Amino acid sequence: MPLTEQVTDAHLERLALERVVPALLSHGFCWVDGLLGEAAGDAVLDQVQQLHRAGALHDGRLAGSVLGVQLRRGRGDKVAWVSGAERGCEAIGFLLTLIDKMISVCASRLGGKEIRARSKAMVACYPGNGAGYVKHVDNPNGDGRVLTCTYYLNKNWNAEEHGGLLRIFPEGKSYVTDVHPLFDRLLVFWSDRRNPHEVQPSFSTRYAVTVWYFDSEERAAARRRFKDLQGKQLGLMMRRRLHRCRGRGAPHPPSLRPPSSMDDPLAMRSRD
């Protein structure tokens, strides 16, 4: 699917250097309007709506959920994880490529962060029934996520009627910042405890596409912790099964395999 509108690398570089980097360093967040333009934005919206109509979106889980524990209360959106390379996701892939280019310019100017990879894209829909997302931090425990980038797809959005504001509670500040989820708006903010935020109840269908960029050193440390935790859990499972087998007089415990690894939507994806 050809996208006729052109967003030049020079334009993305100017956005990064003149707006995104200064705002992140001074305020911790930034948004850019008109990122793709009408035609390309419409193409992304159309593909997101197609995913929704096809039933590809499923209940999201709360930030901080681990090891397959689906914590749902407090979050009302439905999500799908895509790479942008899937058939029918070409426009989403185009969007991700542009965000990658912009963040690559920012990466070396954000205080020594080693930003070399990102997650898959989370396509999210709040279905307009008053669903929202309680106040939370994307990365409260050092999982490697350093930047959150959310692209909004909602035309003619009126917060007084539709709700759905993203409210940021900047750490240590006496004020809050409300971000309207307007069509063709990209929001970028630090993913850690500097930016607790919530999605207020939405009373109209609300779409967004979000990706997270990783600090490579923090992400590697998080993966080591996760691997250690899996090993401890597997050892505990083996001891429990051995104890049960001995209680039944069985000569040998049944064979054990490690729990199957989850499809990790936050798996590192090279920006190259």
Side-chain angles (χ1 to χ4, degrees):
M1 178 197 62
L3 294 171
T4 58
E5 295 194 30
Q6 298 296 317
V7 181
T8 66
D9 290 353
H11 175 67
L12 293 171
E13 184 174 0
R14 285 196 301 272
L15 283 178
L17 296 179
E18 297 175 7
R19 297 191 54 187
V20 179
V21 170
L24 284 173
L25 295 178
S26 61
H27 301 296
F29 54 86
C30 175
W31 61 83
V32 175
D33 289 328
L35 180 70
L36 298 186
E38 186 82 13
D42 278 341
V44 177
L45 174 58
D46 181 64
Q47 292 185 351
V48 167
Q49 290 174 327
Q50 288 182 37
L51 288 170
H52 189 195
R53 288 193 296 267
L57 277 59
H58 304 285
D59 288 348
R61 64 183 186 184
L62 290 178
S65 304
V66 294
L67 299 177
V69 178
Q70 297 292 325
L71 300 178
R72 177 65 182 164
R73 188 178 180 183
R75 177 173 180 175
D77 59 341
K78 293 185 177 296
V79 307
W81 295 90
V82 302
S83 69
E86 300 89 347
R87 184 175 181 181
C89 293
E90 296 85 357
I92 297 172
F94 175 75
L95 166 68
L96 300 180
T97 297
L98 294 189
I99 299 174
D100 284 347
K101 289 179 179 180
M102 188 178 71
I103 297 301
S104 70
V105 177
C106 299
S108 63
R109 299 168 172 85
L110 296 176
K113 300 294 184 183
E114 295 290 336
I115 303 174
R116 299 195 185 104
R118 63 162 167 80
S119 69
K120 285 185 173 182
M122 184 185 75
V123 175
C125 170
Y126 290 85
N129 57 0
Y133 194 161
V134 295
K135 183 179 177 182
H136 66 283
V137 173
D138 285 354
N139 177 14
N141 300 312
D143 66 16
R145 287 180 286 176
V146 62
L147 288 177
T148 302
C149 298
T150 298
Y151 179 75
Y152 294 110
L153 289 157
N154 309 294
K155 292 192 170 185
N156 304 312
W157 193 268
N158 181 343
E160 292 186 0
E161 178 182 355
H162 303 141
L165 293 171
L166 184 128
R167 174 164 288 179
I168 300 175
F169 303 83
E171 183 183 44
K173 306 296 183 183
S174 60
Y175 59 84
V176 299
T177 296
D178 289 336
V179 182
H180 295 240
L182 304 181
F183 177 79
D184 205 20
R185 168 173 285 179
L186 177 70
L187 170 67
V188 184
F189 59 92
W190 297 114
S191 304
D192 59 18
R193 295 180 184 272
R194 283 173 281 188
N195 285 310
H197 55 283
E198 67 184 14
V199 177
Q200 297 187 341
S202 298
F203 301 99
S204 184
T205 304
R206 178 188 187 276
Y207 291 114
V209 178
T210 298
V211 290
W212 288 270
Y213 288 84
F214 297 115
D215 176 81
S216 57
E217 293 184 5
E218 182 181 311
R219 186 61 172 172
R223 286 185 175 281
R224 289 192 295 269
R225 292 197 304 271
F226 182 74
K227 185 176 180 180
D228 290 344
L229 180 59
Q230 281 187 316
K232 291 176 181 178
Q233 289 182 329
L234 179 58
L236 179 61
M237 288 171 55
M238 293 177 68
R239 288 193 295 273
R240 286 177 174 172
R241 291 192 184 185
L242 180 60
H243 179 74
R244 287 199 297 269
C245 289
R246 286 174 175 170
R248 293 195 299 266
H252 301 288
S255 60
L256 290 174
R257 292 181 297 174
S260 59
S261 60
M262 296 185 301
D263 178 22
D264 181 3
L266 296 179
M268 295 178 73
R269 309 283 161 176
S270 170
R271 288 188 288 106
D272 299 328

